[in-house]
């Protein structure tokens, strides 16, 4: 049954697409078929996972897999860190919530999933899945083979790992294809972090693992559509053909596990460093403006971001009375990364946020589009294509904007669907 909240989300879709069109380099070439097709693909994937009879079995399997991975990872963490990793406590615990330590509860998951992803890639399982999505995007959205494969890889790999898959074709990508690659990388998340987000939300959102998985998948076509609106492909250009081979290879299963673990360690170090720096910078700003009071409370960067993003959150389908909290979460994602935003979402008491809003925020937050990722994107692509570094620098901030809007578009598509689907 449709409601005013569904219409609210439809208005949000129109606003998001309209803003991107206003920022387009060629407003006369609006990709109508691609945009409508992207929204149709998003709605179809959501309905396929949550609305088809028997989908509960699939969702249960996804949740069970996440729980199994979290349990197995906890064993390894406890072996190395003992009670700090969640083992038996040597003292009386007065506050159970204080036992959650991000470094021991979440980051080890990234190591395990990174190694497992590399192993599945070596066994060709993940490669076949990626190639399947690549062919789907190539046929339904008219993407070139290389672009389609990179978009598909972004769903499961990181925003730097996925360009490695098409490394042989990077120099042949047009400016529009390069921009699309950057936008989709910022709009989606890696499989390693996907499981971590699901573990964070498992206690507060039903079918959290299913929502996080679908959120990353449906943000890919959203990123494609918004990238094409903002920077349309010129006629006669693009369409670099890929044979769906890959530069990402491992010598053996052990080699895949070892290299996957090493890659995961780099991700963990990057996440840790970015979080330390950006949390510290936000705290520094709050100290500087802490003497200012507004509405009987000290002014903080988080409160300011909450006010700024309130209408943005409302446009995804969030009720106005919850838009302040939801807008604050969007601001946290943009400045402090989606990891911090997911932790804060998980900490919001049940009485302060409805299940619908929590679900919409899961989709809106599930993407790498944050300020810290700008540096990671520039650094990674500069290594892979040093001759195009200036081009990357000229596009990266627009890519951040489009990637951020792509996750909001995913949330709005979900918000526009009937509540009975979920």
């Amino acid at each position: 049954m449709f409601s005013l909240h569904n219409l609210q989300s439809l208005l949000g879709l129109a606003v998001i697409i309209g803003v991107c069109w206003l920022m387009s380099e060629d407003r006369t070439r609006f990709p109508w078929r691609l945009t409508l097709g992207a929204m149709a693909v998003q709605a179809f994937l959501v309905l396929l996972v949550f609305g088809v009879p028997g989908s509960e079995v699939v969702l249960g399997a996804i949740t069970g897999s996440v729980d199994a991975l979290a349990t197995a990872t906890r064993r390894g963490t406890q072996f190395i860190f003992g009670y700090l990793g969640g083992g038996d406590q040597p003292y009386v615990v007065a506050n159970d919530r204080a036992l959650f330590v991000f470094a021991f509860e979440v980051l080890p998951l990234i190591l395990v999933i990174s190694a497992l992803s590399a192993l599945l890639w070596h066994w060709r399982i993940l490669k076949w899945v990626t190639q399947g999505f690549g062919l789907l995007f190539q046929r339904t959205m008219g993407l070139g083979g290389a672009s389609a494969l990179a978009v598909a890889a972004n769903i499961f790999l990181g925003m730097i790992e996925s360009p490695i898959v098409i490394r042989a074709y990077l120099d042949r990508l047009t400016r529009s294809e390069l921009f699309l690659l950057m936008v989709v990388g910022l709009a989606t998340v890696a499989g390693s972090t996907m499981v971590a987000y699901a573990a964070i939300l498992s206690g507060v959102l039903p079918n959290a693992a299913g929502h996080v998985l679908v959120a990353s998948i449906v943000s890919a076509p959203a990123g494609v559509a918004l990238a094409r609106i903002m920077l349309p492909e010129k006629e006669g250009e693009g369409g670099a053909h890929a044979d769906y081979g890959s530069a990402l290879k491992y010598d053996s299963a052990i080699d895949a596990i070892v290299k996957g673990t090493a890659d995961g360690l780099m991700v963990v170090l990057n996440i840790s460093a970015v979080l330390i720096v950006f949390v510290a910078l936000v705290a520094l700003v709050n100290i500087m403006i802490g003497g200012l009071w507004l509405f009987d409370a000290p002014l903080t960067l988080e409160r300011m971001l909450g006010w700024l993003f309130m209408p943005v959150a409302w446009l995804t389908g969030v009720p106005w009375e919850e838009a302040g909290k939801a807008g604050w979460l969007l601001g946290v994602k943009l400045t402090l990364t989606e990891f911090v935003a997911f932790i804060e979402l998980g900490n919001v008491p049940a009485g302060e946020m409805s299940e619908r809003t929590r679900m919409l925020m899961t989709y809106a937050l599930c993407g790498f589009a944050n300020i810290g990722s700008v540096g990671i994107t520039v650094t990674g692509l500069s290594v892979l294509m040093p001759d195009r570094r200036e081009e990357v620098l000229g596009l990266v901030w627009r890519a951040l904007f489009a990637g951020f809007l792509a996750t909001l578009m995913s949330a709005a598509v979900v918000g526009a669907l009937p509540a009975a689907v979920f």
Side-chain angles (χ1 to χ4, degrees):
M1 192 72 180
F2 282 94
S3 67
L4 288 176
H5 290 315
N6 300 125
L7 296 176
Q8 187 178 316
S9 298
L10 288 173
L11 174 62
L13 282 172
V15 171
I16 290 169
I17 293 170
V19 168
C20 288
W21 174 74
L22 289 173
M23 296 183 64
S24 174
E25 291 190 354
D26 186 355
R27 295 176 192 167
T28 63
R29 302 183 64 245
F30 186 89
W32 286 105
R33 292 182 62 184
L34 175 61
T35 303
L36 294 174
M39 289 190 288
V41 169
Q42 287 182 293
F44 171 75
L45 290 172
V46 174
L47 292 171
L48 183 66
V49 175
F50 295 101
V52 175
S55 60
E56 297 84 359
V57 177
V58 177
L59 291 171
I62 295 173
T63 302
S65 299
V66 171
D67 291 342
L69 286 168
T71 300
T73 301
R74 201 171 294 117
R75 296 282 181 87
T77 306
Q78 290 171 6
F79 179 78
I80 297 297
F81 297 107
Y83 71 92
L84 293 175
D88 294 334
Q89 302 299 313
Y91 44 77
V92 177
V93 178
N95 181 9
D96 289 338
R97 294 187 65 182
L99 294 177
F100 178 84
V101 180
F102 183 80
F104 300 135
E105 294 288 336
V106 177
L107 295 183
L109 266 173
I110 297 175
L111 291 174
V112 173
I113 302 302
S114 181
L116 185 60
S117 296
L119 182 62
L120 291 176
W121 184 271
H122 175 69
W123 285 344
R124 297 181 177 274
I125 297 173
L126 189 55
K127 187 181 295 185
W128 289 333
V129 173
T130 301
Q131 290 173 354
F133 273 100
L135 288 171
L136 174 66
F137 293 143
Q138 188 176 12
R139 300 284 173 82
T140 59
M141 297 186 180
L143 299 180
S147 295
L149 183 59
V151 169
N154 264 304
I155 297 173
F156 305 102
L157 306 175
M159 58 185 173
I160 299 304
E161 290 86 345
S162 54
I164 295 176
V165 175
I166 61 164
R167 189 167 190 170
Y169 305 92
L170 289 177
D171 290 339
R172 282 183 271 166
L173 295 182
T174 65
R175 184 166 175 267
S176 177
E177 287 177 322
L178 175 60
F179 181 67
L180 184 148
L181 180 69
M182 295 166 66
V183 171
V184 175
L186 290 165
T188 55
V189 295
S192 54
T193 54
M194 209 183 295
V195 177
Y197 304 151
I200 292 171
L201 297 179
S202 60
V204 296
L205 179 67
N207 299 321
H211 283 298
V212 171
L213 174 63
V214 174
S216 185
I217 294 175
V218 300
S219 288
V224 171
L226 298 187
R228 279 288 190 256
I229 292 172
M230 291 181 66
L231 212 165
E233 186 73 82
K234 295 180 180 178
E235 196 164 345
E237 293 187 2
H241 295 289
D243 59 3
Y244 289 98
S246 171
L248 185 60
K249 299 183 185 298
Y250 302 100
D251 296 330
S252 64
I254 294 298
D255 182 54
I257 293 172
V258 171
K259 288 183 178 177
T261 303
D263 291 340
L265 180 59
M266 292 305 298
V267 174
V268 166
L269 291 175
N270 267 323
I271 290 173
S272 302
V274 168
L275 288 178
I276 290 171
V277 170
F278 278 86
V279 170
L281 290 176
V282 169
L284 183 61
V285 172
N286 287 337
I287 291 171
M288 293 169 63
I289 64 177
L292 302 175
W293 280 61
L294 197 60
F295 303 123
D296 298 323
L299 191 63
T300 65
L301 185 59
E302 291 91 335
R303 291 185 70 201
M304 294 166 62
L305 290 170
W307 297 328
L308 178 65
F309 285 104
M310 271 185 76
V312 177
W314 182 84
L315 285 170
T316 64
V318 173
W320 185 252
E321 58 272 17
E322 299 181 27
K325 179 72 72 174
W328 168 69
L329 289 170
L330 292 175
V332 169
K333 175 206 172 172
L334 184 61
T335 56
L336 294 177
T337 78
E338 74 288 341
F339 252 114
V340 179
F342 272 118
I343 292 173
E344 295 295 347
L345 177 60
N347 289 336
V348 175
E352 293 185 14
M353 182 174 285
S354 65
E355 185 178 312
R356 171 185 165 83
T357 297
R358 206 179 292 267
M359 178 182 67
L360 293 179
M361 283 299 99
T362 299
Y363 286 81
L365 299 177
C366 196
F368 285 141
N370 59 73
I371 295 174
S373 293
V374 170
I376 296 173
T377 300
V378 171
T379 302
L381 291 180
S382 295
V383 171
L384 293 173
M385 45 175 70
D387 293 339
R388 304 186 70 174
R389 186 173 185 275
E390 292 300 320
E391 198 172 359
V392 170
L393 286 170
L395 293 172
V396 69
W397 288 106
R398 295 184 70 194
L400 172 64
F401 182 77
F404 188 80
L405 287 184
T407 56
L408 295 177
M409 180 176 173
S410 297
V413 167
V414 172
L417 296 174
V421 172
F422 306 97

